[in-house]
Amino acid sequence: MQTNKVILPMKTIGIIGGGQLGRMMAIAAKYMGYKVAVLDPTPNCPTAQVSDQQITAAYDDMDGIRKLTDISDVVTYEFENVDLEAAAFIERTGKLPQGAYALEITQSREKEKSIMGDAELPVPANKIVRNGHMCRHVLENFPLPAVIKTVSGGYDGKGQLKINANDDIDAACEFADRNDECIVEQWVPFDKEISVVFTRGQAGEIAFFPISENEHKDHILYKTKAPASISAAVQQKALDAAGILAEKMNITGTFAIEMFVKGDDIYLNEMAPRPHNSGHYTIEACTISQFEQHIRAICGLPLLPIELLRPAVMVNILGDDVETALTILPEMQHGFLHLYGKEAIKPKRKMGHITFVADTLEEAKKQLAVLEEAE
């Protein structure tokens, strides 16, 4: 029943999820003149702080979902673990342009790898295991090192375990028994990780943001630089692969795909059916941000051309970093600070980010060095 109707400013956009991505969606929407309603179980969550109203309810609370749908002209989400029954309900009302299918796929690493394989896109070798016995059998003939991950629910390094050698197999089997359904993947000794972030409109047009390059610490995204230092061949392969998946999954809105680069080869890793941490640099460094482009897409407006205005480096501020960032802020002459309004400061929790933009990537890195040296 999904319709491609145009939702004009002053109408209401409903957002499922009240974290930082929802907050930045809401800010973009408010700049354009939309009203915003958010559903989240935490009162005064980051998104609610910049929205017109909040429905305080669990993500699978159907009464809350119905209320959000009733008061909204269009609905979106800020994370992929949206209840599928709720998503299907909203889709039937014609108010979920993104649909439920992209959620279904990205909630499952098994389905992600399956659709990538069906599209003949390069992915690391993988096998599904449902218990420790299956895991041991698979690992008897599986090249090591490898990694075992939960099929659903993992993020920022949670829900996975690296298998370096035969001595790690017992731990991997115990992991499989604890987590029911898992995927064993070949470990790719990649040169770098990149993100392809794009927005697809309801008519099928695609606008790609400059490909970014990611650096992790403790499995959490630490730093993203744009543009990525990749060859023209890698860039074309990455864009082609993203375009194929966008069409195959009939994506609407902003979408992200993480890929490994090894030489001139790429391997697709994971997908996110919404704006992505590695796309935050677009707020200051591009002619339009991933968030505003997302709002335009779900509201049926034309996508705007994307240009990188200046190279950028974005660094996440975790709970451990908040005090340092605030302490040196009065002395910092560069950098755009975003704090997300989260009340509880926890060591590995994403509390904000800073984006440095300059005429060259080297200059942006020098700006960032002031923050890094203070840590």
Side-chain angles (χ1 to χ4, degrees):
M1 186 178 169
Q2 187 59 48
T3 60
N4 292 339
K5 59 188 176 185
V6 174
I7 307 298
L8 293 174
M10 295 190 286
K11 298 291 188 179
T12 298
I13 298 173
I15 302 175
I16 301 174
Q20 63 265 25
L21 296 177
R23 179 188 181 94
M24 287 181 272
M25 282 184 200
I27 290 171
K30 294 293 286 182
Y31 267 122
M32 295 175 68
Y34 290 97
K35 296 176 183 177
V36 177
V38 58
L39 182 146
D40 193 275
T42 303
N44 197 39
C45 59
T47 307
Q49 294 164 18
V50 295
S51 297
D52 296 278
Q53 56 184 313
Q54 176 179 1
I55 296 170
T56 306
Y59 303 126
D60 60 353
D61 181 328
M62 288 306 298
D63 287 337
I65 290 292
R66 290 186 186 92
K67 183 175 180 182
L68 180 72
T69 306
D70 287 343
I71 64 176
S72 302
D73 297 282
V74 65
V75 177
T76 185
Y77 44 80
E78 66 135 20
F79 63 100
E80 51 268 39
N81 291 317
V82 174
D83 181 74
L84 287 181
E85 180 185 350
F89 166 78
I90 304 169
E91 185 174 18
R92 288 194 297 271
T93 70
K95 294 184 178 181
L96 189 70
Q98 293 159 275
Y101 181 65
L103 287 171
E104 179 186 347
I105 296 298
T106 54
Q107 284 180 9
S108 165
R109 288 189 169 104
E110 179 180 8
K111 291 180 179 179
E112 278 188 338
K113 291 296 187 293
S114 177
I115 199 167
M116 291 172 181
D118 290 346
E120 299 183 345
L121 297 173
V123 295
N126 60 87
K127 292 284 187 181
I128 297 297
V129 298
R130 292 180 171 81
N131 52 52
H133 177 74
M134 285 183 68
C135 180
R136 192 174 300 278
H137 178 71
V138 164
L139 289 174
E140 285 177 359
N141 299 298
F142 204 88
L144 299 181
V147 61
I148 184 170
K149 304 176 182 179
T150 56
V151 163
S152 61
Y155 66 98
D156 286 347
K158 299 178 177 67
Q160 61 180 270
L161 177 71
K162 190 177 180 184
I163 309 162
N164 290 299
N166 289 335
D167 290 346
D168 299 319
I169 290 179
D170 285 346
C173 294
E174 291 172 7
F175 182 95
D177 275 331
R178 286 198 309 272
N179 292 287
D180 297 326
E181 191 171 43
C182 299
I183 185 168
V184 175
E185 294 182 10
Q186 181 183 3
W187 182 266
V188 177
F190 55 91
D191 301 325
K192 60 189 64 178
E193 183 194 274
I194 60 174
S195 288
V196 179
V197 179
F198 63 87
T199 307
R200 186 171 185 267
Q202 295 183 34
E205 72 279 22
I206 300 179
F208 288 97
F209 291 93
I211 296 176
S212 58
E213 183 175 333
N214 302 324
E215 180 182 324
H216 291 76
K217 282 186 179 180
D218 300 324
H219 303 289
I220 301 172
L221 181 64
Y222 165 60
K223 184 192 304 180
T224 294
K225 68 176 186 179
S229 300
I230 54 175
S231 67
V234 166
Q235 174 169 306
Q236 195 58 54
K237 288 178 181 178
L239 295 178
D240 288 345
I244 288 169
L245 279 177
E247 295 295 330
K248 191 173 183 65
M249 296 175 65
N250 195 26
I251 297 302
T252 293
T254 296
F255 194 92
I257 308 174
E258 295 174 337
M259 306 182 188
F260 299 131
V261 177
K262 184 178 180 182
D264 273 344
D265 293 324
I266 62 168
Y267 297 88
L268 278 65
N269 184 27
E270 295 177 354
M271 304 186 286
R274 34 76 180 172
H276 194 261
N277 193 173
S278 62
H280 290 350
Y281 78 90
T282 62
I283 297 173
E284 285 86 19
C286 292
T287 46
I288 184 169
S289 76
Q290 62 167 344
F291 300 101
E292 185 176 349
Q293 199 81 293
H294 178 74
I295 296 300
R296 294 183 69 89
I298 64 169
C299 290
L301 300 176
L303 304 184
L304 297 187
I306 298 170
E307 293 181 29
L308 182 68
L309 299 173
R310 290 200 293 170
V313 178
M314 185 282 302
V315 60
N316 276 325
I317 300 173
L318 303 184
D320 319 66
D321 312 318
V322 173
E323 185 175 348
T324 299
L326 293 179
T327 299
I328 70 168
L329 185 62
E331 308 300 325
M332 285 180 62
Q333 298 179 355
H334 303 282
F336 297 87
L337 173 66
H338 299 254
L339 290 181
Y340 301 146
K342 296 179 180 179
E343 292 184 4
I345 299 177
K346 300 176 183 179
K348 299 300 179 184
R349 192 181 196 192
K350 293 173 183 172
M351 303 299 297
H353 72 269
I354 301 178
T355 302
F356 299 88
V357 296
D359 292 332
T360 66
L361 270 177
E362 288 307 312
E363 184 60 35
K365 290 176 184 177
K366 288 179 183 177
Q367 295 174 7
L368 168 60
V370 175
L371 176 64
E372 292 180 322
E373 289 166 4
E375 292 178 350

